[in-house]
Amino acid sequence: MKARKIEYIIAAGLAAVVALGLTAASCTRIEKADGPQSRICYDVVQLHGTKTAKEYPTDRPFISWAFILPKGKSWTNETDRKSASQVYIAGATVKFDGSHWYDPTQSYYWPSAGSLTFFSYSPEAIKANTTVDSQSGISIKEWDVAANQNVDIMVADVQMEQTANSTVGTYTGVPTIFRHKLSQIVGFEFNTLKDYSASTKFYVTGISLNKIIQKGTYVSGAEVGTTATLMGKWTADVKAAKSNYNYFSGTVEVVYSTTEGTKLNPGFIMLLPQKFSNPGETPDWSKTPHLEISYMAGSEPKTARVSLYDLFPSHEIGMNKKITIKVTFSNEGNLITWAPDQDDWTESEFTVIM
């Protein structure tokens, strides 16, 4: 595919969350602890804004940690974190009982002095692969995305140096905004450069993604947040076996449209965020991560391939993305254009108030 044109479209990053709308209600006290009477409680909220977000699933427990620092110590000071922080909440499993969220085994109270910094992750199913400490934050080790295609990993923005429940709307709690740490291929959109129907018809017959590393380790860092530098990082396991996915097999005609193309979205592929190496001008397709499209131009079967290094604008699959790949066929010089749209996963961004 030496003669090809590659076009890129990428959505702007998430804006900061500026409004929270609340659902659900109360805290639960299991036992009295030393310290003030103000309990750390869990209330579910739902985001409102330019894009509606889903309420956090009530059947999905999540894990919460908190570290305490003495008064006068700062979480952003690495020395303070290392020498003065201690675990205050150690991996509480937070569940929904039909009316509220809480750890059914124990109640937690705000300390009489000092501050708490909170980490949370979801779902509970990843607990065996996950550790939390004051230096690295949340670490998800050797996660196999290929073997866990239905596991949607989320990590919450860290809430630093909290001393009491915050007021959010008419409720109080520790605001915990979960963001997806994997990404998804969610569909393809096909079109033709112009209307060729009088001379040539185009049909998509197959779509596959091949030779993709799907195993890696995620580290959030101690100050995980909203910006790209604070969202944490995946490190792909270059020694892991590579995965192949047959996304579509069949025959679908591509009809020219001036508005939107022929859409194919039979399902999703959960992907490990990662950077790709430059495969050069003549890639070895047996080793290179790539997209392959099989199609018919009239009665002639054809195959088009593009490396994922060339496909994506920054040579990577970003984190927290839903990816739709737009493909345009041309009957002139075998030209195919590719336009991957890495849109933020905002419609499924979950928020919980702890």
Side-chain angles (χ1 to χ4, degrees), residues 18-31:
V18 296
L20 294 175
L22 301 228
T23 65
S26 62
C27 312
T28 293
R29 176 174 175 176
I30 305 298
E31 60 183 359

Side-chain angles (χ1 to χ4, degrees), residues 7-70:
E7 298 177 346
Y8 304 116
I9 301 172
I10 184 166
L14 277 173
V17 175
V18 296
L20 294 175
L22 301 228
T23 65
S26 62
C27 312
T28 293
R29 176 174 175 176
I30 305 298
E31 60 183 359
K32 189 176 183 302
D34 293 336
Q37 297 302 305
S38 180
R39 291 164 293 181
I40 301 169
C41 62
Y42 297 76
D43 292 297
V44 180
V45 304
Q46 187 174 16
L47 283 177
H48 292 281
T50 58
K51 293 187 178 181
T52 302
K54 293 181 181 179
E55 183 178 339
Y56 187 87
T58 57
D59 62 349
R60 187 181 300 177
F62 64 90
I63 306 299
S64 184
W65 285 69
F67 294 84
I68 187 170
L69 274 177

Side-chain angles (χ1 to χ4, degrees), residues 16 32-33 96 106 113 151 254 304 315:
K32 189 176 183 302
F96 188 66
Q106 185 176 347
V151 178
V254 178
H315 315 305

Side-chain angles (χ1 to χ4, degrees), residues 2-154:
K2 293 184 179 178
R4 67 171 182 266
K5 179 182 177 183
I6 302 173
E7 298 177 346
Y8 304 116
I9 301 172
I10 184 166
L14 277 173
V17 175
V18 296
L20 294 175
L22 301 228
T23 65
S26 62
C27 312
T28 293
R29 176 174 175 176
I30 305 298
E31 60 183 359
K32 189 176 183 302
D34 293 336
Q37 297 302 305
S38 180
R39 291 164 293 181
I40 301 169
C41 62
Y42 297 76
D43 292 297
V44 180
V45 304
Q46 187 174 16
L47 283 177
H48 292 281
T50 58
K51 293 187 178 181
T52 302
K54 293 181 181 179
E55 183 178 339
Y56 187 87
T58 57
D59 62 349
R60 187 181 300 177
F62 64 90
I63 306 299
S64 184
W65 285 69
F67 294 84
I68 187 170
L69 274 177
K71 185 177 180 180
K73 301 294 184 179
S74 171
W75 188 259
T76 58
N77 184 304
E78 186 176 351
T79 300
D80 285 354
R81 288 201 312 269
K82 188 173 183 178
S83 63
S85 68
Q86 296 182 30
V87 174
Y88 192 81
I89 298 175
T93 299
V94 182
K95 299 180 178 180
F96 188 66
D97 72 349
S99 60
H100 51 262
W101 293 87
Y102 71 109
D103 178 349
T105 66
Q106 185 176 347
S107 285
Y108 300 95
Y109 293 79
W110 289 98
S112 57
S115 65
L116 297 180
T117 293
F118 290 84
F119 292 86
S120 297
Y121 64 83
S122 172
E124 181 190 20
I126 69 173
K127 190 172 184 179
N129 293 73
T130 306
T131 59
V132 182
D133 64 63
S134 63
Q135 300 305 298
S136 300
I138 296 170
S139 299
I140 306 167
K141 299 176 182 178
E142 298 182 352
W143 184 252
D144 189 338
V145 180
N148 296 279
Q149 276 289 294
N150 292 319
V151 178
D152 178 13
I153 293 177
M154 293 184 286

Side-chain angles (χ1 to χ4, degrees), residues 209-270:
L209 284 94
N210 304 303
K211 307 304 176 184
I212 303 173
I213 295 174
Q214 287 281 65
K215 189 174 183 179
T217 293
Y218 170 82
V219 179
S220 73
E223 300 175 41
V224 62
T226 59
T227 65
T229 56
L230 292 179
M231 289 184 71
K233 181 181 179 181
W234 283 97
T235 301
D237 181 357
V238 296
K239 296 181 179 179
K242 294 183 178 181
S243 298
N244 300 319
Y245 296 93
N246 181 20
Y247 185 76
F248 171 78
S249 181
T251 302
V252 172
E253 183 178 0
V254 178
V255 180
Y256 174 72
S257 173
T258 58
T259 54
E260 60 180 26
T262 302
K263 295 183 178 180
L264 283 174
N265 51 1
F268 68 88
I269 302 173
M270 198 78 79

Side-chain angles (χ1 to χ4, degrees), residues 145-188:
V145 180
N148 296 279
Q149 276 289 294
N150 292 319
V151 178
D152 178 13
I153 293 177
M154 293 184 286
V155 170
D157 299 350
V158 67
Q159 297 296 321
M160 293 186 290
E161 300 176 25
Q162 305 292 299
T163 57
N165 293 320
S166 300
T167 300
V168 183
T170 58
Y171 292 89
T172 58
V174 180
T176 303
I177 301 171
F178 282 108
R179 301 180 194 274
H180 302 270
K181 296 306 174 184
L182 298 174
S183 288
Q184 288 182 330
I185 293 282
V186 295
F188 286 75

Side-chain angles (χ1 to χ4, degrees), residues 20 91 118 194 228 321 331 341:
L20 294 175
F118 290 84
K194 59 183 183 182
K321 303 294 183 182
N331 208 23
D341 186 353

